[in-house]
């Protein structure tokens, strides 16, 4: 649905995007992660025809975004970081206004359908100024959907929402994707990307430094966390002392040790053998992959180190 090739954008002397290559499959949820200033919003603005690139090509549904922006606009909707709603109008009036602007057939019916879908019928005749942040976000997305877009761009869609509203928004985004709509979202919340996205890319300094599914990104870090539970506090202390070379982290309250392994199952079997030789029984064993947060911090850190080395070399 979206094809990006060697996308570049600068503002004055500052290079914001430095040759981005990406592909987003139709009907998927794609998440773009990055720190503030990494280039996420700039990319969204280019994809949604609000900015022109300095170089490279962007195609949406096979249409060149830079050459045919008016054609692209027929296929897309954009929800920015802040809800773009008229707070003087009611929820129903906001939707009806967009329907009029887009000259939508059966406008009234579509407005009612969206109010029902987003569970806003009871509050439809209240001014949006009285809505909560989550409700404003719902109306904002509903306004984007009235034109039946093929692609929705969501720029940090849950910023400022409370935990319950965030979870409600996640559910809504999943449901939109299940209808065949392609969703391209930016976020700073790693749990959001982990829960929602079919594919994730991490951008730093204007370049993509990692890309893949949630599991593929986690495989970047070879280490895994193993959690060992013991029957008593005494066994836990003994195991910590015996396994000191593996730098275990102890939780006395739960009689657990956590150990980071770097050689897959080889080190795990070594740990088992050491404990067995000292007649210490393991009550429970759990092996966990690295979290997406650990992956994000690792690739950002390594990229920054490379940049620093290159700068010294220059």
């Amino acid at each position: 649905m979206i094809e990006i090739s060697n996308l570049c954008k600068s503002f004055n002397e500052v290079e914001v995007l430095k040759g981005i290559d990406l592909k987003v499959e139709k009907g998927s949820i794609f998440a773009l992660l990055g720190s503030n200033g990494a280039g996420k919003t700039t990319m969204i603005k280019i994809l949604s025809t609000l900015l022109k690139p300095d170089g490279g090509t962007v195609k949406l549904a096979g249409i060149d975004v830079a050459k045919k922006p008016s054609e692209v606009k027929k296929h897309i909707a954009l929800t920015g970081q802040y809800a773009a709603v008229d707070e003087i109008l009611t929820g129903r009036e906001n939707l009806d206004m967009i329907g009029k602007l887009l000259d939508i057939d059966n406008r009234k019916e579509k407005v009612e359908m969206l109010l029902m879908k987003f569970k806003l019928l009871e509050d439809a005749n209240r001014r949006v100024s009285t809505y909560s942040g989550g409700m404003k976000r719902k109306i904002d997305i509903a306004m984007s959907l009235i034109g039946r877009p093929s692609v929705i761009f969501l720029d940090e869609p849950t910023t400022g929402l409370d935990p319950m509203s965030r979870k409600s928004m996640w559910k809504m985004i999943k449901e939109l994707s299940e209808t065949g709509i392609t969703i391209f979202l930016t976020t700073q919340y790693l749990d959001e990307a982990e829960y929602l996205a079919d594919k994730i890319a991490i951008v730093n300094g204007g370049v993509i430094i990692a890309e893949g599914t949630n599991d593929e990104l986690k495989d970047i870090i070879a280490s895994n966390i193993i959690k060992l539970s013991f029957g008593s506090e005494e066994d836990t202390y003994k195991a910590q002392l015996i396994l000191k070379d593996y730098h275990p982290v102890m939780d006395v309250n739960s009689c657990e040790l956590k150990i980071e392994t770097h050689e897959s199952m080889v080190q795990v079997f070594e740990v088992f053998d050491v404990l067995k030789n000292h007649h210490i029984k393991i009550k429970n064993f759990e092996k966990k992959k690295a979290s997406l947060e650990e992956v994000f911090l690792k690739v950002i850190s390594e990229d920054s180190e490379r940049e620093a080395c290159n700068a010294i070399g220059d």
Side-chain angles (χ1 to χ4, degrees), residues 67-133:
K67 292 178 180 177
K68 296 181 179 180
S70 58
E71 188 67 25
V72 169
K73 287 176 183 175
K74 297 176 184 177
H75 296 272
I76 66 172
L78 168 65
T79 299
Q81 293 182 21
Y82 305 100
V85 293
D86 190 326
E87 299 205 354
I88 296 175
L89 300 179
T90 66
R92 180 176 277 110
E93 287 168 344
N94 267 279
L95 287 170
D96 191 60
M97 175 182 66
I98 297 299
K100 286 178 180 176
L101 290 172
L102 295 176
D103 194 24
I104 298 295
D105 294 332
N106 304 319
R107 184 181 76 250
K108 297 291 184 183
E109 290 86 345
K110 287 183 180 178
V111 167
E112 296 306 309
M113 180 192 71
L114 287 167
L115 287 169
M116 184 168 61
K117 179 180 179 65
F118 285 85
K119 299 179 181 177
L120 290 168
L121 271 175
E122 289 185 11
D123 304 289
N125 293 322
R126 281 172 47 198
R127 286 191 176 186
V128 172
S129 58
T130 67
Y131 283 12
S132 67

Side-chain angles (χ1 to χ4, degrees), residues 180-217:
I181 295 173
T182 304
I183 295 172
F184 188 113
L185 68 90
T186 69
T187 182
Q188 293 188 47
Y189 299 121
L190 300 176
D191 58 339
E192 188 160 282
E194 194 163 7
Y195 179 79
L196 289 173
D198 299 302
K199 199 170 182 181
I200 300 166
I202 300 173
V203 61
N204 189 51
V207 296
I208 300 296
I209 58 173
E211 183 183 357
T213 65
N214 189 30
D215 286 338
E216 287 169 348
L217 288 177

Side-chain angles (χ1 to χ4, degrees), residues 5-54:
S5 177
N6 197 32
L7 179 62
C8 301
K9 182 66 182 178
S10 298
F11 296 99
N12 297 322
E13 300 300 315
V14 180
E15 281 186 287
V16 179
L17 301 178
K18 306 173 184 178
I20 300 290
D21 295 304
L22 279 178
K23 286 186 179 181
V24 179
E25 296 298 323
K26 184 178 180 180
S28 67
I29 301 177
F30 184 93
L32 186 66
L33 302 179
S35 307
N36 285 334
K40 302 189 304 296
T41 297
T42 297
M43 200 183 309
I44 286 271
K45 287 182 176 179
I46 291 173
L47 292 171
S48 58
T49 76
L50 297 178
L51 271 179
K52 286 191 175 181
D54 295 332

Side-chain angles (χ1 to χ4, degrees), residues 139-154:
I139 280 289
D140 197 21
I141 294 178
M143 289 162 64
S144 299
L145 290 174
I146 201 163
R148 291 189 175 277
S150 303
V151 179
I152 296 181
F153 296 106
L154 301 175

